[in-house]
């Protein structure tokens, strides 16, 4: 079960000057679904500080501090940001859920990518075992057409299948990325939670 | 608290839901959320063979006012990376509806109907989504019952569910299968990701 990781938070400024933050700065509690009930004149995005990240985590959400720049978006006076517009309001968030296959070593519990077959920490690997020879087989006969893996030693007398001794497991790691979408005055802004490096 | 999202697979005659978190979903010749290496897909001597269909849904719980516009997409290289020989018809395919959402309704209360159908087949081949006799009932009669999933990219994702949902839900499901030609390449395949996106406020 994946949760979005917040690295910046928004503050809505209403036409009367009042402000509604996404996270309470004192408790870290999320106000994302609080019904402000009034239009928004300005939206500010601040990076999450280490202290605020800790408070947000204490409330059950996932946050990490960042040094993202402060962003400010102002709506034209006669066209405030409409949070009640449907089917989508002028300001909403998008979640992107991806699954990444990862491997885990049964001996040392190291987690690593799928590009390696051998545990990088303890060098454990899945191996084929022959019950007749009572030994691990480094180069088995792999018969794709019959979906068989056989012992090359026993092949000469009585062909025998091998058993996989599995110590490297696969699992899916869930990652949920998130970004904000803000539409002001006909322009659509994507507010990402990371800084894009520009080549100088 | 912000939302929690996961993908579930539906299996069995009644569509039992299993979260794929910390599991490995594999296309194979059985109806199972975690088949390990059992019943691998077969390369046919002629025509095509198919994997058993996979039915997946997005599960979202937590605090939100509304979730809508659920899409899925890939990186466009499933056929190439898995040696399916696209030139000869091999592909990863996704169920498609001629109009409206492409997703499969799986909950009467949430979606109005439940059109789930268990994946079927035998040890040599599953039944394709668009099989004229044993295909998926929700898709097989469409004029375009399947799309090549390699055409579902970030810029043109496949719309699964318009929503909207205002409380914890399972989205409409997406149904996938593999179409395997005789020229497909044998062997273990590298893992690949499917991305699900949604709007939330």
């Amino acid at each position: 079960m994946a949760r979005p990781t917040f690295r910046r938070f928004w503050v809505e400024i209403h036409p009367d000057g009042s402000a509604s933050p996404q996270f309470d700065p004192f408790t870290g509690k999320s106000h994302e679904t609080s019904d402000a009930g009034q239009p928004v004149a300005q939206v500010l995005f601040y990076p999450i500080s280490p202290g605020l990240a800790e408070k947000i985590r204490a409330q059950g959400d996932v946050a990490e501090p960042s040094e993202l720049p402060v962003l400010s978006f102002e709506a034209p006076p006669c066209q405030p940001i409409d949070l009640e517009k449907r089917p989508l309001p002028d300001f909403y968030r998008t979640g992107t859920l991806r699954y990444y296959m990862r491997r885990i070593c049964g001996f040392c519990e190291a987690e690593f990518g799928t590009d390696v077959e051998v545990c990088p920490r303890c060098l454990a690997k899945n191996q084929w075992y022959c019950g007749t020879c009572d030994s691990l087989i480094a180069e088995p006969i792999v018969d794709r057409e019959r979906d068989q893996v056989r012992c090359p030693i026993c092949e000469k007398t009585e062909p025998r299948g091998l058993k996989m001794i599995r110590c490297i497991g696969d699992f899916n790691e869930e990652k949920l990325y998130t970004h904000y979408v803000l539409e002001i005055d006909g322009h659509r802004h994507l507010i990402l939670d990371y800084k894009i490096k520009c080549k100088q | 608290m912000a939302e929690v999202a996961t993908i579930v697979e539906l299996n069995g005659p009644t569509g039992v839901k299993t979260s794929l978190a910390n599991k490995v979903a594999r296309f194979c010749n059985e109806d199972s959320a975690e088949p390990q290496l059992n019943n691998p897909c077969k390369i046919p001597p002629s025509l095509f063979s198919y994997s058993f269909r996979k039915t997946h849904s997005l599960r979202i719980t937590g605090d939100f006012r509304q979730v809508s516009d659920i899409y899925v997409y890939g990186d466009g290289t499933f056929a190439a990376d898995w040696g399916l020989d696209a030139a000869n018809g091999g592909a990863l395919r996704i169920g498609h509806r001629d109009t409206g959402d492409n997703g499969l309704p799986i909950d009467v209360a949430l979606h109005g109907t439940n059109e789930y159908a268990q994946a079927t087949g035998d040890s040599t081949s599953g039944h394709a989504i668009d099989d004229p006799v044993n295909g998926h009932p929700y898709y097989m009669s469409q004029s375009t019952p399947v799309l090549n999933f390699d055409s579902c990219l970030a810029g043109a994702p496949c719309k699964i569910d318009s929503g909207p949902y205002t409380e914890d839900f399972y989205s409409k499901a997406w149904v996938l299968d593999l179409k395997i030609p005789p020229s497909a390449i044998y062997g273990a395949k590298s893992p690949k990701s499917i991305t699900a996106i949604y709007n939330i406020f």
Side-chain angles (χ1 to χ4, degrees), chain A:
Chain A
M1 308 289 279
R3 293 179 182 277
T5 299
F6 296 101
R7 304 181 71 241
R8 58 175 14 139
F9 70 103
W10 48 256
V11 178
E12 293 170 350
I13 308 297
H14 305 291
D16 64 0
S18 61
S20 302
Q22 181 180 6
F23 296 103
D24 187 302
F26 302 106
T27 65
K29 185 176 177 184
S30 171
H31 295 303
E32 195 171 24
T33 58
S34 298
D35 188 1
Q38 52 183 318
V40 174
Q42 184 183 32
V43 180
L44 306 171
F45 290 89
Y46 289 99
I48 288 181
S49 65
L52 181 57
E54 201 173 319
K55 290 171 189 169
I56 293 171
R57 283 195 290 265
Q59 295 287 342
D61 278 313
V62 181
E64 58 184 45
S66 70
E67 295 180 353
L68 293 167
V70 176
L71 301 176
S72 173
F73 297 90
E74 294 192 23
C78 298
Q79 288 182 291
I81 298 164
D82 187 355
L83 301 181
E84 302 299 320
K85 192 170 80 176
R86 294 295 181 267
L88 280 174
D90 287 336
F91 182 35
Y92 60 92
R93 184 162 60 81
T94 294
T96 303
L97 178 64
R98 279 179 66 89
Y99 277 48
Y100 295 94
M101 175 98 82
R102 300 272 293 166
R103 296 206 157 113
I104 183 167
C105 175
F107 288 113
C108 68
E109 296 186 344
E111 294 182 11
F112 49 97
T114 56
D115 52 335
V116 292
E117 302 286 338
V118 176
C119 174
R121 186 188 292 168
C122 71
L123 305 182
K125 61 181 180 180
N126 296 330
Q127 299 196 71
W128 292 101
Y129 170 79
C130 177
T132 300
C133 303
D134 190 25
S135 64
L136 298 173
I137 306 299
E139 293 181 8
I141 298 171
V142 180
D143 186 345
R144 299 283 181 206
E145 294 200 13
R146 286 189 244 176
D147 293 329
Q148 292 178 352
V149 180
R150 301 191 299 270
C151 175
I153 302 168
C154 298
E155 190 77 2
K156 300 164 192 171
T157 52
E158 188 177 350
R160 182 183 178 88
L162 300 175
K163 179 181 177 181
M164 168 69 78
I165 305 298
R166 187 172 293 280
C167 60
I168 304 294
D170 295 330
F171 69 98
N172 271 322
E173 181 182 36
E174 292 174 315
K175 285 196 175 173
L176 182 54
Y177 304 96
T178 195
H179 66 269
Y180 302 92
V181 180
L182 179 60
E183 297 200 25
I184 297 178
D185 197 21
H187 296 283
R188 194 161 181 263
H189 304 270
L190 298 182
I191 297 93
L192 307 175
D193 66 348
Y194 55 88
K195 194 186 298 186
I196 297 176
K197 291 185 179 177
C198 296
K199 192 173 182 181
Q200 297 293 333

Side-chain angles (χ1 to χ4, degrees), chain B residues 13-68:
Chain B
T14 59
V16 173
K17 301 178 183 73
T18 305
S19 172
L20 294 183
N22 299 320
K23 289 186 175 54
V24 177
R26 282 193 171 89
F27 288 98
C28 57
N29 282 352
E30 66 175 283
D31 179 32
S32 170
E34 206 172 16
Q36 309 287 352
L37 299 179
N38 301 320
N39 296 309
C41 296
K42 299 286 196 287
I43 296 178
S46 61
L47 301 176
F48 294 99
S49 69
Y50 299 86
S51 71
F52 272 49
R53 299 185 297 257
K54 287 284 186 188
T55 304
H56 293 152
S57 169
L58 180 66
R59 166 75 167 158
I60 291 184
T61 60
D63 298 329
F64 52 86
R65 276 182 280 178
Q66 184 173 299
V67 174
S68 64

Side-chain angles (χ1 to χ4, degrees), chain B residues 68-79:
Chain B
S68 64
D69 304 315
I70 297 164
Y71 293 79
V72 295
Y73 64 89
D75 64 4
T77 62
F78 279 82

